[in-house]
Amino acid sequence: MNEEQHREQRRARVVLVDDHRMFRTGVQAEIGNTAETGVEVVGEAADVDQAVTVITATRPDVVLLDVHLPGGGGVEVLRRSAALMADPERPVRFLALSVSDAAEDVIGVIRGGARGYVTKTITGADLVRAVFRVAEGDAVFSPRLAGFVLDAFASTDAPPVDEDLDRLTQREREVLRLIARGYAYKEIAKQLFISVKTVESHVSAVLRKLQLSNRHELTRWATARRLV
């Protein structure tokens, strides 16, 4: 069988989960020409609730999942999709596709059950290859990110879970990291495409969950955990 015939036989049904519509449109344009790529985009979602609904309804082969989503982040989608991932007949597999290359983001979604993690700098052709590899049960990582996972799961002297950090949502972690780097609320709001009031709410939630009093304590806390 030549490569063209093999491509014609392969099909992967995919759901795109990302809160930026223009990015979803771009991915659809890159990989969604089924006759050319073998990938069929069967659904899209912009937040956690939409994602769970669409994934449950369509039962795709692969979900391309952003890490940072309204409603609890990619890890919440994974948590609520555990039964679908465990289906012995038709498991739904997840490939994280994110702008973030932070170690805790990578490790968080892999612990949650994702089969791989690639960054949004990936080319369309490489993304198609990654989709098929994940659909076939392989694990796929952007080269630098594989090291995070190997270190996290191979190390016996590091705690597997940071319980304090796990109390925070993905968005709260993102705000925490930017606060610790010295960003003003207005700058954080602009970078994350949210309002200043929403930033303030996230900071208040982080301080409450971590039992800290101010952003200076928060910065020390984040620095001690090498999150900055």
Side-chain angles (χ1 to χ4, degrees):
M1 182 186 299
N2 63 37
E3 184 177 346
E4 185 176 345
Q5 289 171 324
H6 182 57
R7 188 171 63 239
E8 285 178 0
Q9 288 193 354
R10 289 198 307 174
R11 286 288 183 269
R13 300 171 69 256
V14 170
V15 165
L16 305 178
V17 180
D18 192 287
D19 60 344
H20 291 97
R21 184 179 59 82
M22 287 183 66
F23 179 75
R24 296 197 309 272
T25 300
V27 173
Q28 166 82 39
E30 282 284 335
I31 72 172
N33 182 347
T34 308
E36 190 74 26
T37 66
V39 174
E40 180 187 2
V41 177
V42 296
E44 298 183 16
D47 60 35
V48 169
D49 287 341
Q50 285 180 16
V52 174
T53 298
V54 171
I55 293 164
T56 303
T58 60
R59 300 294 292 266
D61 300 303
V62 178
V63 178
L64 291 177
L65 180 68
D66 193 12
V67 174
H68 301 134
L69 291 169
V75 289
E76 179 65 11
V77 176
L78 290 163
R79 186 186 70 79
R80 291 167 59 179
S81 302
L84 297 176
M85 287 190 283
D87 185 333
E89 297 296 325
R90 285 184 55 201
V92 176
R93 296 187 168 103
F94 286 78
L95 173 61
L97 175 62
S98 178
V99 70
S100 170
D101 61 0
E104 66 269 21
D105 287 339
V106 178
I107 294 163
V109 294
I110 298 306
R111 281 205 179 102
R115 297 290 304 173
Y117 195 118
V118 294
T119 60
K120 290 181 177 178
T121 56
I122 193 169
T123 66
D126 284 344
L127 184 56
V128 169
R129 282 190 283 271
V131 164
F132 278 107
R133 285 182 60 193
V134 168
E136 291 160 6
D138 289 344
V140 180
F141 296 93
S142 293
R144 193 172 77 85
L145 306 186
F148 295 154
V149 179
L150 290 173
D151 289 346
F153 289 94
S155 175
T156 55
D157 56 1
V161 176
D162 186 327
E163 292 184 2
D164 289 330
L165 192 60
D166 280 358
R167 292 191 187 102
L168 306 182
T169 66
Q170 292 292 336
R171 181 63 91 187
E172 287 167 353
R173 295 183 196 189
E174 201 168 27
V175 170
L176 162 67
R177 195 178 302 115
L178 292 173
I179 284 285
R181 289 175 179 170
Y183 284 76
Y185 286 4
K186 189 179 293 186
E187 294 171 322
I188 296 172
K190 185 175 180 181
Q191 184 156 332
L192 300 183
F193 302 100
I194 58 179
S195 69
V196 173
K197 188 172 182 179
T198 301
V199 174
E200 292 171 351
S201 297
H202 285 314
V203 173
S204 296
V206 170
L207 292 174
R208 184 180 69 254
K209 289 179 180 181
L210 300 181
Q211 299 182 328
L212 301 173
S213 301
N214 53 55
R215 66 181 297 164
H216 300 296
E217 290 184 2
L218 188 153
T219 299
R220 286 198 296 271
W221 187 93
T223 302
R225 283 163 172 77
R226 299 179 181 178
L227 301 179
V228 181

